[in-house]
Amino acid sequence: IDIYIKLIKGNPDLSIYLLEFYAEDLRKTEERMIHIIHNEVIVRIGIILCMLIDAYGYESDKSKKLAFMLSRSDIANFAGTAYESVIRNIAKLEEMGLVKVVGKSLIISKERELRKFINRKDQEI
């Protein structure tokens, strides 16, 4: 930490760059959270699943099983809804043929359609 503080104090350009970087990151995070909050629960869950795909990908291209899966409780907390609502809406996504539930994991059956679904619903708001 001492080296970091000395580096910042000794280099004003780096200080300004870091401030701008953190401000932009904070702005993007705030926009993303507002964006998520103003959607239906099923869309929020779809957004979270797409974020997991983007961040962690799949175990393999053939299986389309998410490499990392949040617990249903964590999804509920992140989406700002109840655990039961997450289960119901994942079941709806499964009925739509977009995902497949395998135990506690999810297989994304149709990623492109899932992204279209969340984007279409988002434009209705």
Side-chain angles (χ1 to χ4, degrees), residues 44-110:
R44 288 185 249 167
I45 292 169
I47 291 169
I48 292 167
L49 294 178
C50 287
M51 289 171 69
L52 290 173
I53 293 167
D54 295 341
Y56 302 102
Y58 300 108
E59 282 186 2
S60 72
D61 288 336
K62 293 181 181 180
S63 75
K64 295 292 184 180
K65 182 178 178 183
L66 291 174
F68 176 77
M69 184 63 195
L70 292 171
S71 70
R72 304 303 193 260
S73 296
D74 289 339
I75 293 173
N77 289 332
F78 193 40
T81 190
Y83 173 85
E84 295 80 7
S85 184
V86 170
I87 293 172
R88 265 193 315 275
N89 283 285
I90 288 177
K92 286 180 187 176
L93 290 171
E94 188 171 27
E95 287 172 14
M96 295 167 65
L98 301 176
V99 300
K100 183 178 179 187
V101 178
V102 179
K104 294 185 178 188
S105 300
L106 285 180
I107 294 174
I108 307 298
S109 306
K110 299 177 182 174

Coordinates of all heavy atoms in Angstrom, one line a residue, residues 44-110:
R44 N -34.8 -9.9 -15.4 CA -33.6 -9.7 -14.5 C -32.8 -11.0 -14.4 O -31.6 -11.0 -14.4 CB -34.1 -9.3 -13.1 CG -34.6 -7.9 -13.1 CD -34.9 -7.5 -11.7 NE -36.3 -7.3 -11.6 CZ -37.0 -7.2 -10.5 NH1 -36.4 -7.3 -9.3 NH2 -38.3 -7.0 -10.5
I45 N -33.5 -12.1 -14.3 CA -32.8 -13.4 -14.2 C -32.1 -13.7 -15.5 O -31.0 -14.2 -15.5 CB -33.9 -14.5 -13.8 CG1 -34.3 -14.3 -12.4 CG2 -33.2 -15.9 -14.0 CD1 -35.5 -15.1 -12.0
G46 N -32.7 -13.4 -16.6 CA -32.1 -13.6 -17.9 C -30.8 -12.8 -18.0 O -29.8 -13.3 -18.6
I47 N -30.9 -11.6 -17.6 CA -29.7 -10.7 -17.6 C -28.6 -11.3 -16.7 O -27.4 -11.3 -17.1 CB -30.1 -9.3 -17.1 CG1 -31.0 -8.6 -18.2 CG2 -28.8 -8.4 -16.8 CD1 -31.6 -7.3 -17.7
I48 N -29.0 -11.8 -15.6 CA -27.9 -12.4 -14.7 C -27.3 -13.6 -15.3 O -26.1 -13.8 -15.3 CB -28.6 -12.7 -13.3 CG1 -29.0 -11.4 -12.6 CG2 -27.6 -13.6 -12.5 CD1 -29.9 -11.7 -11.4
L49 N -28.1 -14.4 -16.0 CA -27.6 -15.6 -16.7 C -26.6 -15.2 -17.8 O -25.6 -15.8 -18.0 CB -28.7 -16.5 -17.2 CG -29.6 -17.1 -16.2 CD1 -30.7 -17.9 -16.9 CD2 -28.8 -18.0 -15.2
C50 N -27.0 -14.1 -18.5 CA -26.1 -13.6 -19.6 C -24.8 -13.1 -19.0 O -23.8 -13.2 -19.6 CB -26.9 -12.6 -20.5 SG -28.1 -13.4 -21.5
M51 N -24.9 -12.4 -17.9 CA -23.7 -11.9 -17.2 C -22.8 -13.1 -16.8 O -21.6 -12.9 -16.9 CB -24.1 -11.0 -16.0 CG -24.7 -9.7 -16.4 SD -25.4 -8.8 -15.0 CE -24.0 -8.4 -14.1
L52 N -23.4 -14.2 -16.4 CA -22.6 -15.3 -16.0 C -21.9 -15.9 -17.2 O -20.8 -16.4 -17.2 CB -23.5 -16.4 -15.3 CG -23.9 -16.0 -13.9 CD1 -24.9 -17.1 -13.4 CD2 -22.7 -15.9 -13.0
I53 N -22.7 -16.0 -18.4 CA -22.1 -16.5 -19.6 C -20.9 -15.6 -20.0 O -19.8 -16.1 -20.4 CB -23.1 -16.5 -20.7 CG1 -24.2 -17.5 -20.4 CG2 -22.5 -16.8 -22.1 CD1 -25.5 -17.4 -21.3
D54 N -21.1 -14.3 -20.0 CA -20.1 -13.3 -20.4 C -18.8 -13.4 -19.5 O -17.7 -13.3 -20.0 CB -20.6 -11.9 -20.4 CG -21.7 -11.7 -21.5 OD1 -21.8 -12.5 -22.4 OD2 -22.5 -10.7 -21.4
A55 N -19.1 -13.6 -18.2 CA -18.0 -13.6 -17.3 C -17.2 -14.9 -17.2 O -16.0 -14.9 -17.1 CB -18.5 -13.2 -15.9
Y56 N -18.0 -16.0 -17.2 CA -17.3 -17.3 -16.9 C -17.4 -18.3 -18.1 O -16.7 -19.3 -18.1 CB -18.0 -18.0 -15.7 CG -17.8 -17.1 -14.5 CD1 -18.9 -16.3 -14.0 CD2 -16.6 -17.0 -13.8 CE1 -18.7 -15.5 -12.9 CE2 -16.4 -16.2 -12.7 CZ -17.5 -15.5 -12.2 OH -17.3 -14.7 -11.1
G57 N -18.4 -18.1 -19.0 CA -18.5 -19.0 -20.1 C -19.1 -20.3 -19.8 O -19.8 -20.4 -18.8
Y58 N -18.9 -21.3 -20.6 CA -19.4 -22.6 -20.5 C -18.3 -23.6 -20.1 O -17.2 -23.4 -20.3 CB -20.1 -23.1 -21.8 CG -21.2 -22.2 -22.3 CD1 -21.0 -21.4 -23.4 CD2 -22.4 -22.2 -21.6 CE1 -22.0 -20.6 -23.9 CE2 -23.4 -21.4 -22.1 CZ -23.3 -20.6 -23.2 OH -24.3 -19.8 -23.7
E59 N -18.8 -24.7 -19.5 CA -17.8 -25.8 -19.2 C -17.2 -26.3 -20.5 O -16.0 -26.6 -20.5 CB -18.5 -26.9 -18.4 CG -18.7 -26.6 -16.9 CD -19.2 -27.8 -16.1 OE1 -19.4 -28.9 -16.7 OE2 -19.5 -27.6 -14.9
S60 N -18.0 -26.5 -21.5 CA -17.6 -26.8 -22.8 C -18.6 -26.3 -23.8 O -19.7 -26.1 -23.5 CB -17.4 -28.4 -22.9 OG -18.6 -29.0 -23.0
D61 N -18.1 -26.1 -25.1 CA -19.0 -25.6 -26.1 C -20.2 -26.6 -26.4 O -21.2 -26.2 -26.8 CB -18.3 -25.3 -27.4 CG -17.4 -24.0 -27.2 OD1 -17.8 -23.2 -26.3 OD2 -16.4 -23.9 -27.9
K62 N -19.9 -27.9 -26.2 CA -20.9 -28.9 -26.6 C -22.0 -29.0 -25.5 O -23.1 -29.1 -25.9 CB -20.2 -30.2 -26.8 CG -19.3 -30.3 -28.0 CD -18.7 -31.7 -28.1 CE -17.8 -31.7 -29.3 NZ -17.2 -33.0 -29.5
S63 N -21.6 -28.8 -24.3 CA -22.6 -29.0 -23.2 C -23.4 -27.8 -23.0 O -24.6 -27.8 -22.6 CB -22.0 -29.4 -21.9 OG -21.3 -28.3 -21.3
K64 N -22.8 -26.6 -23.2 CA -23.5 -25.3 -22.9 C -23.9 -25.2 -21.4 O -24.8 -24.4 -21.1 CB -24.7 -25.0 -23.8 CG -24.3 -24.9 -25.3 CD -23.5 -23.6 -25.5 CE -23.3 -23.4 -27.0 NZ -22.5 -22.2 -27.3
K65 N -23.3 -26.0 -20.6 CA -23.5 -25.9 -19.1 C -22.7 -24.7 -18.6 O -21.5 -24.6 -18.9 CB -23.1 -27.2 -18.5 CG -23.3 -27.2 -17.0 CD -22.9 -28.6 -16.4 CE -23.1 -28.7 -15.0 NZ -22.7 -29.9 -14.4
L66 N -23.3 -23.9 -17.8 CA -22.5 -22.7 -17.3 C -21.3 -23.2 -16.5 O -21.5 -24.1 -15.6 CB -23.5 -21.9 -16.4 CG -24.6 -21.1 -17.1 CD1 -25.5 -20.4 -16.1 CD2 -24.0 -20.1 -18.1
A67 N -20.2 -22.6 -16.7 CA -19.0 -22.9 -16.0 C -19.1 -22.5 -14.5 O -18.5 -23.2 -13.6 CB -17.8 -22.3 -16.6
F68 N -19.9 -21.5 -14.2 CA -20.1 -21.1 -12.8 C -21.5 -20.7 -12.7 O -22.1 -20.0 -13.5 CB -19.2 -19.8 -12.5 CG -19.5 -19.3 -11.1 CD1 -18.9 -19.9 -10.0 CD2 -20.2 -18.1 -11.0 CE1 -19.1 -19.4 -8.7 CE2 -20.5 -17.6 -9.7 CZ -19.9 -18.3 -8.6
M69 N -22.1 -21.2 -11.6 CA -23.6 -21.0 -11.4 C -23.7 -20.4 -10.0 O -23.2 -21.0 -9.0 CB -24.4 -22.3 -11.6 CG -25.8 -22.1 -11.4 SD -26.5 -21.0 -12.7 CE -28.1 -20.6 -12.0
L70 N -24.4 -19.3 -9.9 CA -24.8 -18.8 -8.6 C -25.9 -19.6 -8.0 O -26.7 -20.3 -8.7 CB -25.4 -17.3 -8.8 CG -24.4 -16.3 -9.2 CD1 -25.2 -15.0 -9.5 CD2 -23.4 -16.0 -8.1
S71 N -26.0 -19.6 -6.7 CA -27.1 -20.4 -6.0 C -28.4 -19.6 -6.3 O -28.4 -18.4 -6.7 CB -26.9 -20.4 -4.5 OG -27.0 -19.1 -3.9
R72 N -29.5 -20.3 -6.2 CA -30.8 -19.6 -6.4 C -31.0 -18.5 -5.4 O -31.5 -17.4 -5.8 CB -32.0 -20.6 -6.2 CG -31.9 -21.9 -7.1 CD -31.8 -21.6 -8.6 NE -32.1 -22.7 -9.4 CZ -31.1 -23.5 -10.0 NH1 -29.9 -23.2 -9.8 NH2 -31.4 -24.5 -10.8
S73 N -30.5 -18.6 -4.2 CA -30.6 -17.5 -3.2 C -29.7 -16.3 -3.7 O -30.2 -15.2 -3.5 CB -30.1 -18.0 -1.9 OG -30.9 -19.0 -1.4
D74 N -28.6 -16.5 -4.2 CA -27.7 -15.4 -4.7 C -28.4 -14.7 -5.9 O -28.3 -13.5 -6.0 CB -26.3 -15.9 -5.1 CG -25.5 -16.3 -3.8 OD1 -25.8 -15.8 -2.7 OD2 -24.5 -17.1 -4.0
I75 N -29.0 -15.5 -6.8 CA -29.7 -14.9 -7.9 C -30.8 -14.1 -7.4 O -31.0 -12.9 -7.9 CB -30.2 -16.0 -8.9 CG1 -29.0 -16.7 -9.6 CG2 -31.1 -15.4 -10.0 CD1 -29.4 -17.9 -10.4
A76 N -31.5 -14.6 -6.4 CA -32.7 -13.8 -5.9 C -32.2 -12.5 -5.3 O -32.8 -11.4 -5.5 CB -33.4 -14.6 -4.8
N77 N -31.1 -12.5 -4.5 CA -30.5 -11.3 -3.9 C -30.1 -10.3 -5.0 O -30.3 -9.1 -4.9 CB -29.3 -11.7 -3.0 CG -29.8 -12.3 -1.7 OD1 -30.9 -12.1 -1.3 ND2 -28.9 -13.2 -1.2
F78 N -29.4 -10.8 -6.0 CA -28.9 -10.0 -7.1 C -30.0 -9.4 -7.9 O -30.0 -8.2 -8.3 CB -28.0 -10.8 -7.9 CG -27.1 -10.0 -8.9 CD1 -26.6 -8.8 -8.5 CD2 -26.9 -10.4 -10.2 CE1 -25.8 -8.0 -9.4 CE2 -26.1 -9.7 -11.0 CZ -25.6 -8.5 -10.6
A79 N -31.1 -10.2 -8.1 CA -32.2 -9.7 -8.9 C -33.2 -8.9 -8.0 O -34.2 -8.3 -8.6 CB -32.9 -10.9 -9.5
G80 N -33.1 -8.9 -6.7 CA -34.0 -8.2 -5.9 C -35.3 -8.8 -5.8 O -36.4 -8.1 -5.8
T81 N -35.4 -10.1 -5.7 CA -36.6 -10.8 -5.6 C -36.5 -12.0 -4.6 O -35.5 -12.2 -4.0 CB -37.0 -11.3 -7.0 OG1 -38.4 -11.8 -7.0 CG2 -36.1 -12.4 -7.5
A82 N -37.6 -12.7 -4.5 CA -37.6 -13.9 -3.6 C -37.1 -15.1 -4.2 O -37.1 -15.3 -5.5 CB -39.0 -14.1 -3.1
Y83 N -36.6 -16.0 -3.4 CA -36.0 -17.3 -3.9 C -37.0 -18.1 -4.7 O -36.7 -18.6 -5.7 CB -35.6 -18.1 -2.6 CG -35.2 -19.5 -2.9 CD1 -33.9 -19.8 -3.2 CD2 -36.1 -20.6 -2.7 CE1 -33.5 -21.1 -3.4 CE2 -35.7 -21.9 -2.9 CZ -34.4 -22.1 -3.3 OH -34.0 -23.4 -3.5
E84 N -38.3 -18.1 -4.2 CA -39.3 -18.8 -4.9 C -39.6 -18.3 -6.3 O -39.9 -19.0 -7.2 CB -40.6 -18.8 -4.1 CG -40.6 -19.5 -2.7 CD -39.9 -18.7 -1.6 OE1 -39.6 -17.5 -1.9 OE2 -39.6 -19.3 -0.6
S85 N -39.5 -16.9 -6.4 CA -39.7 -16.3 -7.7 C -38.6 -16.7 -8.7 O -38.9 -16.8 -9.9 CB -39.7 -14.8 -7.5 OG -40.0 -14.1 -8.7
V86 N -37.4 -16.8 -8.2 CA -36.3 -17.3 -9.1 C -36.6 -18.7 -9.6 O -36.5 -18.9 -10.8 CB -35.0 -17.3 -8.3 CG1 -33.9 -17.9 -9.1 CG2 -34.6 -15.8 -8.0
I87 N -37.1 -19.6 -8.7 CA -37.4 -20.9 -9.2 C -38.5 -20.9 -10.2 O -38.4 -21.6 -11.2 CB -37.7 -21.8 -7.9 CG1 -36.5 -22.0 -7.1 CG2 -38.3 -23.1 -8.3 CD1 -36.7 -22.6 -5.7
R88 N -39.5 -20.2 -9.9 CA -40.7 -20.1 -10.9 C -40.2 -19.6 -12.2 O -40.6 -20.1 -13.3 CB -41.8 -19.2 -10.3 CG -42.9 -19.9 -9.6 CD -44.1 -19.0 -9.3 NE -43.8 -17.7 -8.9 CZ -43.5 -17.3 -7.6 NH1 -43.6 -18.2 -6.7 NH2 -43.3 -16.1 -7.3
N89 N -39.4 -18.5 -12.2 CA -39.0 -17.9 -13.5 C -38.0 -18.7 -14.2 O -38.0 -18.7 -15.5 CB -38.6 -16.5 -13.2 CG -39.7 -15.5 -13.0 OD1 -40.4 -15.2 -14.0 ND2 -40.0 -15.2 -11.8
I90 N -37.1 -19.4 -13.5 CA -36.2 -20.3 -14.2 C -37.0 -21.4 -14.9 O -36.8 -21.9 -16.0 CB -35.1 -20.9 -13.3 CG1 -34.1 -19.8 -13.0 CG2 -34.4 -22.1 -13.9 CD1 -33.1 -20.2 -12.0
A91 N -38.1 -21.9 -14.2 CA -39.0 -22.9 -14.8 C -39.7 -22.3 -16.1 O -39.8 -23.1 -17.1 CB -40.0 -23.4 -13.8
K92 N -40.0 -21.1 -16.0 CA -40.6 -20.4 -17.2 C -39.6 -20.4 -18.4 O -40.0 -20.6 -19.5 CB -41.1 -19.0 -16.9 CG -42.4 -19.0 -16.1 CD -42.8 -17.5 -15.8 CE -43.9 -17.4 -14.9 NZ -44.3 -16.0 -14.5
L93 N -38.4 -20.0 -18.1 CA -37.3 -20.0 -19.1 C -37.1 -21.4 -19.7 O -36.9 -21.6 -20.8 CB -36.0 -19.4 -18.5 CG -36.0 -17.9 -18.2 CD1 -34.7 -17.6 -17.5 CD2 -36.2 -17.1 -19.5
E94 N -37.3 -22.4 -18.8 CA -37.1 -23.8 -19.3 C -38.3 -24.2 -20.2 O -38.1 -24.8 -21.2 CB -37.0 -24.7 -18.1 CG -36.7 -26.2 -18.5 CD -36.4 -27.0 -17.3 OE1 -36.9 -26.8 -16.2 OE2 -35.6 -28.0 -17.5
E95 N -39.5 -23.8 -19.8 CA -40.7 -24.0 -20.6 C -40.5 -23.4 -22.0 O -41.0 -23.9 -23.0 CB -42.0 -23.5 -20.0 CG -42.4 -24.3 -18.8 CD -43.6 -23.6 -18.0 OE1 -44.2 -22.7 -18.6 OE2 -43.9 -24.1 -16.9
M96 N -39.9 -22.2 -22.0 CA -39.7 -21.5 -23.3 C -38.6 -22.1 -24.1 O -38.3 -21.7 -25.3 CB -39.3 -20.0 -23.0 CG -40.4 -19.2 -22.3 SD -39.9 -17.6 -21.6 CE -39.4 -16.8 -23.1
G97 N -37.9 -23.1 -23.5 CA -36.8 -23.8 -24.2 C -35.5 -23.0 -24.3 O -34.6 -23.4 -25.0
L98 N -35.4 -22.0 -23.4 CA -34.1 -21.2 -23.4 C -33.0 -21.8 -22.5 O -31.9 -21.7 -22.8 CB -34.4 -19.8 -23.0 CG -35.4 -19.0 -23.9 CD1 -35.7 -17.7 -23.3 CD2 -34.9 -18.9 -25.3
V99 N -33.5 -22.5 -21.5 CA -32.5 -23.1 -20.5 C -33.0 -24.5 -20.2 O -34.2 -24.8 -20.4 CB -32.3 -22.3 -19.2 CG1 -31.8 -20.9 -19.5 CG2 -33.6 -22.2 -18.4
K100 N -32.1 -25.3 -19.6 CA -32.5 -26.6 -19.1 C -31.9 -26.7 -17.7 O -30.7 -26.5 -17.5 CB -32.0 -27.7 -20.1 CG -32.4 -29.1 -19.6 CD -31.9 -30.1 -20.6 CE -32.3 -31.5 -20.1 NZ -31.8 -32.6 -20.9
V101 N -32.7 -27.1 -16.8 CA -32.2 -27.3 -15.4 C -31.7 -28.7 -15.2 O -32.4 -29.7 -15.6 CB -33.4 -27.0 -14.4 CG1 -32.9 -27.3 -13.0 CG2 -33.9 -25.6 -14.6
V102 N -30.5 -28.8 -14.8 CA -29.9 -30.1 -14.5 C -29.3 -30.1 -13.1 O -28.3 -29.5 -12.8 CB -28.7 -30.4 -15.5 CG1 -28.1 -31.8 -15.2 CG2 -29.2 -30.4 -16.9
G103 N -30.1 -30.6 -12.1 CA -29.8 -30.5 -10.7 C -29.7 -29.0 -10.3 O -30.7 -28.3 -10.5
K104 N -28.6 -28.6 -9.8 CA -28.5 -27.1 -9.4 C -27.8 -26.3 -10.5 O -27.6 -25.1 -10.4 CB -27.7 -27.0 -8.1 CG -28.4 -27.6 -6.9 CD -27.6 -27.4 -5.7 CE -28.4 -28.0 -4.5 NZ -27.8 -27.7 -3.2
S105 N -27.5 -27.0 -11.6 CA -26.8 -26.3 -12.7 C -27.8 -26.0 -13.8 O -28.9 -26.4 -13.8 CB -25.7 -27.2 -13.3 OG -24.8 -27.5 -12.4
L106 N -27.4 -25.1 -14.7 CA -28.2 -24.7 -15.9 C -27.4 -24.9 -17.2 O -26.2 -24.7 -17.2 CB -28.6 -23.3 -15.8 CG -29.7 -22.9 -14.8 CD1 -29.9 -21.4 -14.9 CD2 -31.0 -23.6 -15.1
I107 N -28.1 -25.4 -18.1 CA -27.6 -25.5 -19.5 C -28.4 -24.5 -20.3 O -29.6 -24.4 -20.3 CB -27.8 -26.9 -20.1 CG1 -27.0 -27.9 -19.3 CG2 -27.5 -26.9 -21.6 CD1 -27.2 -29.4 -19.7
I108 N -27.6 -23.6 -21.0 CA -28.3 -22.6 -21.8 C -28.5 -23.2 -23.2 O -27.6 -23.4 -24.0 CB -27.4 -21.3 -21.9 CG1 -26.9 -20.8 -20.6 CG2 -28.1 -20.3 -22.8 CD1 -28.1 -20.4 -19.7
S109 N -29.8 -23.6 -23.4 CA -30.1 -24.2 -24.7 C -30.0 -23.3 -25.9 O -29.5 -23.7 -26.9 CB -31.6 -24.8 -24.6 OG -31.7 -25.6 -23.4
K110 N -30.5 -22.1 -25.7 CA -30.5 -21.1 -26.8 C -30.1 -19.8 -26.3 O -30.9 -18.9 -26.0 CB -31.9 -21.1 -27.4 CG -32.5 -22.4 -27.9 CD -33.9 -22.3 -28.4 CE -34.4 -23.6 -28.9 NZ -35.8 -23.5 -29.2

